[in-house]
Amino acid sequence: MSTHRQDGTRDRIEAELVDPLRELDLDVEAVEVTPAGKRRVLRVAVDKDGGVTLDDVADATREVSRVLDESDVMGEMPYTLEVTSRGVDRPLTLPRHWRRNADRLVKVTLTDGTDLTGRVLSSTEESVTLDVSGARQEVAYADVAKALVQIEFNRKTEKKDD
């Protein structure tokens, strides 16, 4: 199967899923179709404000299965469906990604090659404000070449469990 055909299939699958999953308040973040022997693996990553729960993944899996059963987009070849959350390792590419990662530490590479690491303070549809070493810095999304959430272990927070 050519890459172009796989891309076309992936795009068709994504187009079929966007509206039904939006009804569940979920965004389609990624669709991947990977050959696996005589089968294919279809991975659909979803996200929403406040994060995705196991119940959300279960609901999304049922909805994706229903939509694909009613469509011919996957053709006759058998496939395995995996529905997951977006995952912390995916780049921040849309305003909603920044909004959903407020207060998280991110590493940003700007289009001029400069690297910044800072905490997301706020975001708009055009830019993000970061706390970089105690200084507020506004960065336009157009100036971002790549941005990834950084994993923090043992981060001290002000919230206390009662």
Side-chain angles (χ1 to χ4, degrees):
M1 184 183 284
S2 73
T3 302
H4 179 70
R5 178 149 178 233
Q6 285 178 340
D7 289 347
T9 299
R10 187 193 69 228
D11 292 346
R12 282 185 57 213
I13 294 166
E14 186 170 343
E16 296 263 349
L17 297 177
V18 168
D19 288 338
L21 290 177
R22 188 177 294 134
E23 291 292 318
L24 299 173
D25 291 325
L26 295 167
D27 294 311
V28 176
E29 290 295 337
V31 173
E32 298 171 358
V33 181
T34 310
K38 296 183 183 206
R39 310 178 70 78
R40 291 173 292 171
V41 176
L42 170 60
R43 286 184 189 87
V44 179
V46 296
D47 198 12
K48 74 174 189 177
D49 287 358
V52 175
T53 66
L54 287 175
D55 287 341
D56 293 327
V57 171
D59 292 344
T61 300
R62 282 190 292 277
E63 188 63 8
V64 170
S65 292
R66 183 193 66 76
V67 169
L68 294 178
D69 286 349
E70 293 176 2
S71 166
D72 65 351
V73 71
M74 288 301 290
E76 295 299 315
M77 184 184 253
Y79 65 93
T80 300
L81 174 63
E82 295 178 7
V83 177
T84 66
S85 62
R86 181 173 185 273
V88 72
D89 58 337
R90 294 202 182 263
L92 305 177
T93 57
L94 298 171
R96 69 178 182 237
H97 299 159
W98 294 93
R99 182 182 75 239
R100 290 175 179 160
N101 282 286
D103 199 39
R104 300 286 298 267
L105 192 66
V106 295
K107 181 177 180 186
V108 180
T109 301
L110 301 178
T111 53
D112 69 5
T114 304
D115 284 328
L116 301 172
T117 300
R119 194 160 306 282
V120 177
L121 296 175
S122 63
S123 61
T124 67
E125 289 298 308
E126 292 82 32
S127 67
V128 61
T129 303
L130 302 174
D131 176 340
V132 180
S133 300
R136 293 173 69 91
Q137 184 162 346
E138 186 171 344
V139 179
Y141 301 136
D143 295 334
V144 175
K146 184 176 183 181
L148 292 170
V149 172
Q150 301 299 288
I151 305 296
E152 294 181 274
F153 296 101
N154 300 324
R155 178 176 172 219
K156 304 255 188 283
T157 63
E158 294 178 24
K159 295 178 186 173
K160 297 209 191 266
D161 293 333
D162 292 324

